[in-house]
Amino acid sequence: MKAIGVEEFGGPDALRALELPEPQAGPGEVRIRVHAAAVNPTDVMLRTGGHAVRMPGRRPPLVPGMDAAGVIDQLGPGADGRLSVGQRVIALVLFVGPRGGAYAERIVVPAASVVPAPEGASFAEASTLLMNAMTARLALDAVAVPAGGTVAVTGAAGAVGGYAVELATADGLTVIADAAARDVERVRGFGADHIVERGAEVAARVRTLVPDGVPGLVDGSNQTIEVVPAVADGGALASLRGWAGPAGRGVSVHPVMVADALTDTERLDALSRQAADGVLSLHVADVLPADEAAKAHRLLEAGGVRGRLVLDFS
């Protein structure tokens, strides 16, 4: 089968078309004929060697990709009775595992990592959902602001930040979000109640709206210590890139790792249903042929992409 991966770490041009053995579904697994795979920043980290420490003993080629959409074409023994051959599905894929990632014509994943694709969504749209929405879900659950409370979200124009705003709104929270001038309408469309200018002074701007600070903050912009002053004494901050503090003033820092929810079928399915219901929006920046994965990585690294780039394996 065709896959896209790297034989050695490097720049975008390290990505190569590969011919790999077609995988077979084992016990508790399903095989998916991939039609679309979203391109995420963590894929760039794999390509450049940033995940090497999590893959001791693994030998190339290495295949990126944590988000896949396609059709089930094989069920392993004891696979989940929820699923069937021919079903349109989406999957959260652990690319640091021995089977590799989503940039392939066929992938084998635990049945628990697979849920029905959102009704009405194309494969490209559906492939953009799970990794980023689950990260946002985990972040909001970590800060645990009760309904009726206020949460701040930085990086709100991005994929994770946008989902954090939408999910927080659906949870009944008041949302303070940051945005550059060009993204204000985008972030307002996600449901933010208040928008402040993004940047190094974002914490002070949040404090102008909530003088005592917010009880919870999702740090989608990875500003770490810069945004801590926005959080109230004893509040909570969700960190998306592994930062664990310390933050002082009794502020708890919760590093969020989406791999922790790889087989959380209930939450994965809830996110798919929320996308089908319009609670969560699906944003595709562009769809490129799989052979243009290097171009997709260059575009992502250049910055300014709104929505997700998607590789077409159909």
Side-chain angles (χ1 to χ4, degrees):
M1 68 168 187
K2 177 180 178 178
I4 303 294
V6 294
E7 298 280 0
E8 57 185 24
F9 300 128
D13 290 332
L15 291 164
R16 296 278 190 273
L18 307 168
E19 285 295 325
L20 300 179
E22 190 173 88
Q24 303 298 315
E29 296 178 325
V30 300
R31 189 174 71 186
I32 299 170
R33 172 62 176 94
V34 176
H35 287 250
V39 178
N40 288 290
T42 194
D43 303 351
V44 173
M45 289 181 64
L46 178 70
R47 190 201 78 220
T48 58
H51 287 297
V53 69
R54 299 173 60 199
M55 308 169 73
R58 282 286 305 282
R59 299 178 62 84
L62 303 175
V63 177
M66 290 193 72
D67 267 322
V71 176
I72 293 176
D73 73 354
Q74 187 182 67
L75 296 174
D80 197 323
R82 300 174 302 113
L83 305 170
S84 58
V85 171
Q87 187 175 12
R88 297 175 79 256
V89 293
I90 51 178
L92 188 57
V93 186
L94 186 65
F95 60 41
V96 298
R99 291 190 178 275
Y103 289 15
E105 288 181 329
R106 284 180 170 80
I107 60 172
V108 168
V109 292
S113 301
V114 181
V115 295
E119 291 186 17
S122 68
F123 286 120
E125 291 168 336
S127 75
T128 66
L129 176 67
L130 285 183
M131 180 186 169
N132 295 291
M134 180 58 89
T135 302
R137 181 71 270 164
L138 292 173
L140 289 168
D141 291 348
V143 299
V145 177
T150 299
V151 66
V153 178
T154 65
V160 175
Y163 282 139
V165 173
E166 291 181 326
L167 287 168
T169 300
D171 289 348
L173 302 178
T174 296
V175 181
I176 301 172
D178 72 349
R182 71 185 183 98
D183 290 320
V184 167
E185 291 307 312
R186 174 181 175 84
V187 173
R188 184 172 287 121
F190 293 149
D193 297 282
H194 306 282
I195 298 176
V196 298
E197 185 180 355
R198 63 173 295 184
E201 300 302 317
V202 69
R205 295 177 183 124
V206 170
R207 285 274 184 163
T208 64
L209 296 172
V210 185
D212 292 333
V214 293
L217 184 144
V218 176
D219 186 20
S221 58
N222 193 37
Q223 289 179 255
T224 63
I225 200 69
E226 273 188 350
V227 298
V228 170
V231 182
D233 293 358
L237 182 151
S239 162
L240 308 186
R241 296 287 180 88
W243 184 66
R249 296 186 294 107
V251 174
S252 58
V253 179
H254 303 269
V256 171
M257 301 298 290
V258 73
D260 293 341
L262 188 76
T263 56
D264 191 337
T265 310
E266 184 175 350
R267 279 199 280 195
L268 293 170
D269 190 54
L271 293 169
S272 182
R273 286 185 278 107
Q274 285 183 300
D277 292 342
V279 174
L280 297 176
S281 51
L282 303 173
H283 298 276
V284 176
D286 199 5
V287 180
L288 294 85
D291 288 336
E292 295 185 18
K295 178 181 178 181
H297 277 226
R298 281 193 290 269
L299 289 169
L300 183 62
E301 289 183 286
V305 175
R306 292 295 176 258
R308 277 286 169 249
L309 298 159
V310 175
L311 299 180
D312 182 2
F313 283 90
S314 61

